[in-house]
Amino acid sequence: SVRAHVDRTNDGKGDHWVAISYVTIDVPTQKVTSIGFYDPGTVHKQKGVNNYFTVKNRQVKGQPSYNKNYIYVLTAIRRNKK
């Protein structure tokens, strides 16, 4: 699995981890249009599953379905350690 470090406090530093669940690619242009994520750190387990980042102008942002006050900005992606 792959996890992503996100910034949810808008200070430019990663402060929360989410798990990447899928990537959507526009086939003709070969550009990533969205990245799905699961947030295992939320207390709202049923709402932590179906979330996604949008990719636009080299920025990757998303709002989790359980808290519209957060805007996650993707800061890093890496493989999970076994």
Side-chain angles (χ1 to χ4, degrees):
S1 66
V2 177
R3 62 183 178 161
H5 209 189
V6 295
D7 174 18
R8 64 178 176 182
T9 58
N10 200 26
D11 63 0
K13 300 176 185 175
D15 51 29
H16 188 69
W17 289 100
V18 297
I20 301 298
S21 56
Y22 68 86
V23 175
T24 304
I25 298 172
D26 181 343
V27 175
T29 64
Q30 296 295 303
K31 291 185 179 183
V32 174
T33 57
S34 66
I35 300 170
F37 70 92
Y38 167 69
D39 189 349
T42 181
V43 295
H44 307 285
K45 299 297 182 193
Q46 71 279 8
K47 294 182 180 179
V49 179
N50 193 17
N51 299 289
Y52 64 93
F53 296 106
T54 55
V55 181
K56 186 174 182 181
N57 298 328
R58 301 182 72 109
Q59 290 187 338
V60 183
K61 294 182 180 180
Q63 281 186 302
S65 61
Y66 53 86
N67 190 337
K68 294 297 183 183
N69 294 322
Y70 285 141
I71 297 177
Y72 287 175
V73 178
L74 192 65
T75 59
I77 297 177
R78 72 178 187 201
R79 289 184 70 180
N80 252 347
K81 296 179 180 179
K82 290 186 176 183

